[in-house]
Amino acid sequence: MTATAVSPTLLTPQIEAANFLNLLIVDDERSIREACREVALSLGFTPHVADSAEHAYRLLQTQTIDAVLLDLRLPGAGGLEALRQIKAQRPEALVIVVTGYGTVQSAVQAMKNGAYDYVTKPFSMDELKLLLERVSSHLKLKTENRMLREKVKSKQGYGAIIGRSPEMEKLYRIIAKAANSSHPVLILGESGTGKEMVARSIHYSGPFRDKPFIPVDCGSLVPTLIESELFGYVKGAFTGANQAKDGLLAIAEGGTVFLDEVGELPVDLQAKLLRAIQEKEIRPVGSTRRIPINVRILAATNRDLEQAVMEGAFRRDLYFRLNVLSLRIPPLRERRDDIPLLIMHFLERLARSSVLEKTLSDEAYKALLAYDWPGNVRELENCLERTWAFTSGPVIHVPDLPPAIAKLHNLAPSNGNGHNKIVPMAELEKQTILNAIAELNGDKLQAARLLGIGKTTLYRKLKDYSAQA
């Protein structure tokens, strides 16, 4: 046999075919096998044919099969037994069973045993084509979701989500689903858990990643500014409005607006936001003209919105509109297995930015692992940045850590019987906040930044502590 040169253009169909979905057609009637094969080819499948269950088993051992068209009336092994064998060998494969008219009961049983769908003989080629198109769409979406989850999980570096705990695996699955949807998403989580990071992952992992992503901090702007920022205004709408300005809901055309701390919105603005989401249009401040918008809304809060609804501080209809899809980011204390990964990530990033290498002593490492991190990932990040800056040597020791962590590690309270006294988490959080403010000579804004919590949250907690005193 002599080698033959092949033109690159002749290789193209073969390369493309390698990307097609593989369909196994199992039927003892040759005419049906060939007809199904032609339909499968026309839809981009790579078809494989078998005339018996035993033949199908052999093909499953050598080929990567994505879907199976299985006749339930086969010679030898029964159809339901063949289905069980196929699902055992290829659990992920979609199996469409073919049954004769009048034996639909067997198809129903097959569905209970894991079949994706069924078709009854005699069937038209158009009917088969529609069924295989649905199978193709299902498989492609399934593959895209799997790739998206891997993409989200494998991201490294600044701005990435770090974590491999079961809680984070669940979060990745929800992010993958949310990314392929256009519905509003409500992101719940304590301050510092990374709600904006999750919102960015949803946007940039989805089909509209090339469109704008615009975050709005609803807790840091006064109500009048939020309204003009979201909806825009016309020239002369108020003092100082020397020219018209487009609102963020219009600027983000085709993209995403992320409403951080949406629970801080005043009730009258909540009504205007609800109207904008429902009617897909906005009216700039001072204008009588309505402007159509095409934007996805992602919202986040660390407040209990259900409780706020009961108290009348948040509109029930807006809550249901935003809560079409929801996800909760677990606090760091609920995913302690991720703390070593986060420590390594932040230390590596600090080493790259400063061209220095520093390590943690065993005791300092244990102190970081034992701490409850009321400010979550943001507090851990700020803790390591501050410690890195104030540590002169190559090793970070317990005294180099923030006082709240060092004191808890060195002065573990005892109940007199040699056992550590259990201190309520709320009390630990209170002492951490008050100690940080004291260390910073009363600078509350700096304390909020270093603790990794929002200033609104800090002031609310201080108000609660005063009421308790």
Side-chain angles (χ1 to χ4, degrees):
M1 183 180 291
T2 58
T4 305
V6 180
S7 167
T9 57
L10 295 178
L11 288 173
T12 304
Q14 296 175 357
I15 294 171
E16 291 177 349
N19 295 320
F20 288 168
L21 295 168
N22 290 297
L23 174 69
L24 174 58
I25 302 162
V26 188
D27 199 297
D28 60 336
E29 295 183 41
R30 182 176 179 179
S31 60
I32 293 180
R33 290 199 305 270
E34 290 303 314
C36 293
R37 184 176 177 276
E38 291 297 321
V39 173
L41 279 171
S42 71
L43 295 175
F45 283 88
T46 299
H48 304 269
V49 295
D51 57 7
S52 66
E54 290 73 21
H55 188 186
Y57 303 154
R58 292 195 298 272
L59 284 172
L60 288 169
Q61 292 173 357
T62 59
Q63 302 291 335
T64 302
I65 300 299
D66 301 296
V68 180
L69 189 63
L70 173 66
D71 187 359
L72 286 181
R73 295 177 64 88
L74 289 172
L80 292 178
E81 177 58 27
L83 171 62
R84 282 190 285 270
Q85 291 288 341
I86 289 170
K87 294 299 288 184
Q89 287 187 242
R90 288 285 186 271
E92 297 296 321
L94 297 186
V95 181
I96 304 100
V97 296
V98 180
T99 183
Y101 182 77
T103 57
V104 176
Q105 186 60 39
S106 59
V108 173
Q109 186 61 43
M111 299 280 283
K112 292 180 180 178
N113 290 349
Y116 171 74
D117 208 341
Y118 74 92
V119 62
T120 57
K121 288 183 179 179
F123 54 86
S124 68
M125 292 301 103
D126 286 339
E127 186 179 358
L128 178 63
K129 185 176 180 180
L130 288 172
L131 181 57
L132 291 181
E133 283 176 344
R134 194 164 77 248
V135 167
S136 176
S137 298
H138 181 92
L139 287 169
K140 287 176 181 177
L141 181 60
K142 194 174 179 180
T143 302
E144 287 170 2
N145 283 343
R146 184 174 64 250
M147 292 173 65
L148 181 58
R149 287 197 298 272
E150 292 302 319
K151 180 181 177 183
V152 172
K153 286 190 288 185
S154 64
K155 283 183 180 178
Q156 296 295 326
Y158 182 74
I161 303 174
I162 305 295
R164 298 175 187 165
S165 62
E167 295 81 4
M168 293 305 289
E169 290 286 344
K170 180 181 178 181
L171 181 65
Y172 296 140
R173 289 194 293 271
I174 300 173
I175 289 175
K177 291 179 181 178
N180 284 312
S181 167
S182 60
H183 296 299
V185 179
L186 183 60
I187 304 169
L188 306 173
E190 296 178 5
S191 184
T193 50
K195 294 187 287 293
E196 182 172 340
M197 191 179 297
V198 167
R200 289 182 181 275
S201 293
I202 291 172
H203 173 77
Y204 288 108
S205 301
F208 310 112
R209 63 181 67 88
D210 297 328
K211 300 295 183 179
F213 175 88
I214 300 179
V216 182
D217 187 352
C218 300
S220 65
L221 296 173
V222 296
T224 52
L225 283 179
I226 296 176
E227 183 176 6
S228 59
E229 284 291 307
L230 287 177
F231 305 113
Y233 54 83
V234 297
K235 182 178 179 180
F238 48 82
T239 304
N242 299 322
Q243 59 183 15
K245 179 182 177 182
D246 291 332
L248 297 178
L249 290 171
I251 293 173
E253 177 65 23
T256 301
V257 169
F258 170 56
L259 302 175
D260 196 10
E261 299 305 337
V262 72
E264 305 299 325
L265 279 178
V267 175
D268 60 329
L269 273 182
Q270 294 174 25
K272 294 178 181 179
L273 176 62
L274 174 65
R275 190 178 305 115
I277 296 173
Q278 287 185 156
E279 300 177 6
K280 298 187 183 302
E281 61 181 21
I282 57 173
R283 183 170 63 84
V285 177
S287 174
T288 57
R289 185 171 61 91
R290 295 189 177 275
I291 300 173
I293 58 170
N294 174 29
V295 65
R296 184 184 193 183
I297 299 294
L298 304 181
T301 183
N302 58 16
R303 294 184 62 184
D304 184 343
L305 285 190
E306 290 187 0
Q307 182 65 30
V309 167
M310 293 175 62
E311 295 171 353
F314 201 84
R315 291 182 62 103
R316 183 181 301 274
D317 44 9
L318 178 59
Y319 171 68
F320 288 129
R321 176 63 64 175
L322 294 176
N323 199 31
V324 175
L325 295 173
S326 68
L327 57 87
R328 174 184 175 271
I329 308 175
L332 197 49
R333 63 182 174 273
E334 291 182 9
R335 55 180 187 109
R336 290 185 179 276
D337 291 348
D338 291 331
I339 295 178
L341 289 174
L342 288 161
I343 292 173
M344 180 177 66
H345 167 71
F346 292 134
L347 290 180
E348 287 178 351
R349 197 181 75 200
L350 288 165
R352 287 195 302 270
S353 62
S354 65
V355 201
L356 292 172
E357 283 217 19
K358 295 183 182 182
T359 58
L360 289 164
S361 70
D362 288 345
E363 287 301 304
Y365 187 72
K366 290 176 183 176
L368 294 176
L369 294 181
Y371 186 58
D372 270 328
W373 301 108
N376 295 293
V377 178
R378 189 188 298 144
E379 184 186 0
L380 173 59
E381 179 182 11
N382 291 336
C383 164
L384 291 173
E385 286 180 351
R386 178 187 177 190
T387 302
W388 187 283
F390 286 100
T391 303
S392 56
V395 179
I396 298 171
H397 297 281
V398 171
D400 299 319
L401 298 174
I405 300 174
K407 286 178 183 177
L408 286 174
H409 179 75
N410 293 326
L411 302 174
S414 173
N415 61 8
N417 297 322
H419 299 293
N420 288 340
K421 179 183 176 184
I422 297 176
V423 181
M425 192 175 298
E427 182 62 28
L428 288 175
E429 180 185 74
K430 177 181 177 180
Q431 290 305 318
T432 299
I433 290 174
L434 295 178
N435 288 340
I437 293 174
E439 289 288 332
L440 295 167
N441 300 317
D443 189 337
K444 297 182 179 65
L445 294 180
Q446 179 72 351
R449 189 182 72 81
L450 291 176
L451 287 172
I453 60 177
K455 62 180 183 294
T456 305
T457 302
L458 178 67
Y459 283 116
R460 187 172 71 246
K461 289 183 179 296
L462 289 175
K463 184 178 178 181
D464 292 342
Y465 301 155
S466 298
Q468 294 167 10

